[in-house]
Amino acid sequence: TLLRELAIYITLVSGGDDSMMSSSAMLLSKDPGPIGPLGKPENFSVVPADKGQLKLSYKSIYGAKTSRFEYRLTTETEWTQVDTTASKLLLTGLQSGKEYLCRVLPIGKSEVRTYSDEISCFVS
């Protein structure tokens, strides 16, 4: 607790000047650098839930601010997008007995983006 208070005091007295803070002999925290392109989503899964529903989830990726889940009927070409800050999503109102394709795209600051593999699943 005392070290945290001392760090706050040094920051206030120095006015945030890095050179003054480094002369205090305390270690300075690193500025968070930009996160590069996010990797391909892992453990993406699609499982049927109640009638007309699918549960989508994947292992969250550090640096992802948004998850864009996309789905479509296998007979269609246009994807429906759902953006969320979570790594899980329950799709509702789907057509029972139909096969859907699903994928996820984690979105960070980088313009380079990588989709998960597409997974097909029948809706109960």
Side-chain angles (χ1 to χ4, degrees), residues 34-98:
I35 297 173
L38 303 177
K40 185 176 182 177
E42 296 179 10
N43 300 334
F44 179 51
S45 69
V46 180
V47 294
D50 292 335
K51 186 174 181 177
Q53 297 180 346
L54 291 175
K55 289 182 184 179
L56 287 62
S57 66
Y58 75 103
K59 182 179 176 186
S60 61
I61 296 177
Y62 176 74
K65 303 297 181 198
T66 304
S67 299
R68 175 168 293 155
F69 290 95
E70 298 184 354
Y71 66 97
R72 66 179 174 88
L73 285 165
T74 55
T75 57
E76 301 290 327
T77 57
E78 206 166 308
W79 293 91
T80 300
Q81 299 177 345
V82 179
D83 290 346
T84 178
T85 57
S87 60
K88 297 178 182 180
L89 179 69
L90 177 65
L91 293 177
T92 60
L94 303 175
Q95 297 178 35
S96 293
K98 299 288 184 172

Side-chain angles (χ1 to χ4, degrees), residues 10-28:
I10 291 170
T11 303
L12 290 173
V13 169
S14 69
D17 182 349
D18 284 343
S19 61
M20 285 182 70
M21 288 189 294
S22 64
S23 69
S24 71
M26 291 192 72
L27 294 175
L28 302 179

